[in-house]
């Protein structure tokens, strides 16, 4: 199978790594310093990607990030007779419009926090005054992970409103949402619109520093199978969130195909949706794919053909840990251009997925972005040993990924 992977992060490296291991011929557009078969095309240039796929007789295209899906990659590829994995633009609205999604959740009685939708700073201020702090402000549109502000004190309101409305178009509509408490859980599923196969649940660490302090990031690491993701909880998520969402999307005329990613807050009143993503999570993808026993290419092809057999999605036992190594200055202003040492000395049991890397003129791998590598393995200590050994100037990473699980090892699973 010839497969085109669209994107340039560690998520896309993990997808390409997996497909290559399955014997597929893989191209990645545009890719990074670790991905095979790089093609210098922009991930949002859907027309050029389709030309490439036609010319190279690509059998299947998998879009990693939300941008190309929101830009209609699956629709445009379909018009040209090309198979592509992911939701159509209309179905991807579950990620690209938080206001539409909030209404959708209400229409279908799917649990989520209460929210007011407003379209001016003055109206946002009035809503915040009504609800009180803590409260959460969210840009309606895609904001590259920068569109959510958790307001914990009234002194933060002015600054956060300024940043939020400073986002421009993405924040022309804003949600003022009830603050929810509880552990967070990411539940992802492959779905062809009707059938679904859930993936191992994962916990993602969004804050930059240990103890969930510091600014929000794209994700600093995580692990699969948090102990609080019990079978009963996952059954509840299946019945109250995933299946009603797919049924709602079908009944409203835009069946959802691809990866449905539910970001959940496990509150005292049960799991509530804080967001949907229309794609694999990053870093969740890097944690989850090493546990997949079945063929990823075959699963994605079945999804794209609306013929997924959930029985074809089999998982290995066990848990994975992943730690993101980020560049100095991330997330505000990451430095780049620093050589990375140690990539060729990784132990067998650990893999380093590339994100912000590139190969320079003399063949060295150097940093080229905020999140540089995701180090993944099934032993937490081995992952951290590798994270320590890999080196580049300004490397920063969290030390506390998966600490709570390590304390419980052997107890729950
Ligand atoms: P999102 O980009 O929607 O995943 O939001 C980023 C982070 O903001 C989440 O991972 C949560 O930690 C936090 N968050 C989002 N919505 C809420 C909420 N309603 N209550 C509390 N925290 C939230
Ligand atoms: N891990 C969060 C995301 O992919 O959006």
């Amino acid at each position: 199978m010839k497969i085109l992977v669209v994107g340039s992060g560690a998520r896309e490296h993990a997808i390409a790594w997996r497909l290559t291991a399955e014997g597929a011929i893989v191209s990645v557009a545009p890719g990074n310093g670790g991905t095979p078969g790089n093609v210098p095309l922009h991930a949002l240039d859907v027309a050029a990607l389709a030309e490439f796929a036609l010319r190279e007789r690509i059998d299947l295209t998998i879009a990693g990030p939300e941008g190309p899906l929101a830009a209609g990659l699956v629709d445009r590829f379909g018009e040209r007779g090309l198979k592509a994995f992911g939701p159509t633009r209309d179905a991807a609205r579950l990620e690209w419009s938080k206001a539409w999604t909030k209404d959708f959740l209400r229409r279908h009685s799917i649990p989520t926090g209460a929210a007011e939708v407003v379209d001016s700073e003055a109206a946002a201020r009035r809503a915040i005054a009504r609800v009180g702090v803590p409260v959460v402000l969210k840009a309606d549109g895609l904001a590259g992970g920068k569109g959510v502000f958790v307001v914990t004190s009234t002194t933060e309101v002015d600054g956060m409103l300024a940043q939020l409305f400073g986002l421009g178009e993405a924040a022309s509509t804003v949600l003022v949402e009830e603050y929810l408490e509880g552990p967070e859980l990411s539940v992802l599923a492959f779905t062809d619109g009707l059938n679904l196969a859930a993936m191992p649940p994962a916990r993602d660490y969004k804050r930059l520093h240990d103890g969930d302090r510091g600014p929000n990031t794209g994700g600093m690491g995580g692990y699969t199978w948090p102990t609080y993701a019990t079978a009963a909880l996952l059954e509840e998520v299946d019945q109250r969130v995933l299946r009603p969402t797919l049924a709602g999307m079908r009944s409203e005329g835009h069946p959802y195909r691809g990866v449905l990613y539910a970001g959940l807050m496990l509150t005292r009143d049960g799991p509530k949706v804080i967001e949907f993503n229309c794609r694999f999570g990053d870093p969740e993808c890097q944690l989850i794919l090493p546990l997949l026993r079945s063929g990823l290419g075959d699963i994605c092809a079945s999804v794209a053909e609306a013929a997924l057999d959930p029985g074809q999605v089999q998982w290995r036992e066990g848990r994975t840990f992943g730690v993101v190594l980020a560049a100095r200055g991330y997330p505000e202003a990451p430095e780049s251009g620093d050589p990375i040492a140690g990539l060729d000395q990784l132990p067998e049991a650990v893999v380093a997925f590339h994100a912000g890397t590139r190969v320079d003129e003399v063949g060295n791998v150097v940093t080229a972005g905020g999140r540089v590598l995701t180090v993944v393995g099934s032993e937490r200590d081995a992952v951290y040993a590798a994270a320590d050994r890999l080196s580049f100037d300004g490397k920063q990473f969290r030390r506390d990924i998966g600490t709570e699980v390590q304390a419980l090892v052997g107890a729950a699973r």
Side-chain angles (χ1 to χ4, degrees):
M1 201 158 29
K2 287 180 84 173
I3 304 183
L4 170 63
V5 179
V6 177
S8 60
R11 165 181 53 205
E12 288 74 27
H13 188 193
I15 295 170
W17 163 84
R18 178 59 204 227
L19 294 169
T20 304
E22 292 170 10
I25 301 165
V26 181
S27 304
V28 186
N32 58 42
T35 49
N38 289 353
V39 184
L41 294 174
H42 197 286
L44 291 175
D45 193 347
V46 172
L49 293 168
E51 287 303 326
F52 174 83
L54 284 170
R55 194 170 65 240
E56 296 295 321
R57 301 179 184 282
I58 296 291
D59 299 300
L60 173 68
T61 297
I62 301 176
E66 62 281 11
L69 296 165
L73 182 144
V74 171
D75 311 65
R76 298 291 89 74
F77 272 55
E79 286 159 13
R80 305 192 67 172
L82 292 162
K83 203 183 294 171
F85 172 85
T88 59
R89 172 173 164 75
D90 280 350
R93 182 173 280 154
L94 281 179
E95 177 164 0
W96 61 256
S97 175
K98 289 190 193 290
W100 182 87
T101 298
K102 189 59 80 176
D103 269 348
F104 172 88
L105 292 169
R106 286 197 197 116
R107 282 198 292 284
H108 297 282
S109 305
I110 298 165
T112 187
E116 279 189 53
V117 176
V118 297
D119 53 17
S120 73
E121 196 170 325
R125 235 174 246 289
R126 286 193 297 273
I128 295 167
R130 268 195 298 278
V131 181
V133 296
V135 68
V136 183
L137 309 178
K138 297 186 174 181
D140 170 53
L142 296 180
K146 298 192 168 65
V148 176
F149 296 87
V150 181
V151 186
T152 52
S153 114
T154 46
T155 58
E156 293 172 336
V157 171
D158 287 342
M160 287 184 172
L161 281 175
Q163 284 185 62
L164 176 61
F165 283 92
L167 293 170
E169 183 58 29
S172 55
T173 299
V174 159
L175 271 72
V176 178
E177 186 172 283
E178 172 191 6
Y179 177 82
L180 299 172
E181 268 177 292
E184 284 181 50
L185 185 69
S186 304
V187 179
L188 287 73
F190 291 105
T191 177
D192 64 358
L194 183 64
N195 304 298
L196 76 87
M199 304 183 203
R203 156 137 198 228
D204 174 20
Y205 292 69
K206 289 251 168 62
R207 301 293 186 115
L208 184 65
H209 299 305
D210 286 12
D212 290 329
R213 286 173 297 109
N216 253 318
T217 71
M220 294 301 291
Y223 64 94
T224 48
W225 290 112
T227 50
Y228 52 83
T230 59
L233 175 77
L234 295 174
E235 177 64 16
E236 191 178 357
V237 171
D238 177 89
Q239 293 297 318
R240 297 190 59 202
V241 176
L242 301 177
R243 289 188 194 275
T245 299
L246 297 181
M249 293 301 279
R250 285 198 306 277
S251 72
E252 295 190 13
H254 17 251
Y256 187 97
R257 281 184 203 129
V259 172
L260 178 63
Y261 168 145
L264 303 164
M265 195 71 89
L266 308 180
T267 72
R268 244 180 277 155
D269 304 325
K272 295 194 177 179
V273 175
I274 52 176
E275 66 165 350
F276 282 123
N277 292 315
C278 65
R279 48 164 177 85
F280 286 108
D282 183 344
E284 288 89 340
C285 184
Q286 299 91 292
L287 307 171
I288 289 170
L289 289 188
L291 292 175
L292 183 62
R293 190 194 297 278
S294 315
L296 177 64
D298 291 339
I299 294 169
C300 292
S302 298
V303 164
E305 290 159 7
L308 178 69
D309 169 6
Q312 92 189 85
V313 185
Q314 299 292 327
W315 301 98
R316 291 180 213 287
E317 288 292 312
R319 178 181 275 131
T320 45
F321 296 88
V323 175
V324 170
L325 308 186
R328 180 187 288 134
Y330 178 73
E332 286 87 17
E335 289 175 10
S336 62
D338 295 305
I340 304 169
L343 285 167
D344 48 3
Q345 290 142 34
L346 286 174
E348 189 85 355
V350 170
V351 48
F353 295 117
H354 292 228
T357 73
R358 71 181 172 85
V359 180
D360 73 5
E361 304 67 36
V362 291
N364 293 322
V365 181
V366 301
T367 62
R371 290 192 289 177
V372 176
L373 298 162
T374 312
V375 185
V376 178
S378 55
E379 298 292 336
R380 183 176 183 276
D381 292 346
V383 170
Y384 269 105
D388 277 321
R389 240 174 291 127
L390 287 162
S391 73
F392 55 88
D393 192 36
K395 174 181 76 170
Q396 53 168 335
F397 60 97
R398 280 181 66 155
R399 284 273 168 201
D400 64 344
I401 308 290
T403 31
E404 68 270 37
V405 183
Q406 195 176 38
L408 293 168
V409 162
R413 257 180 85 83

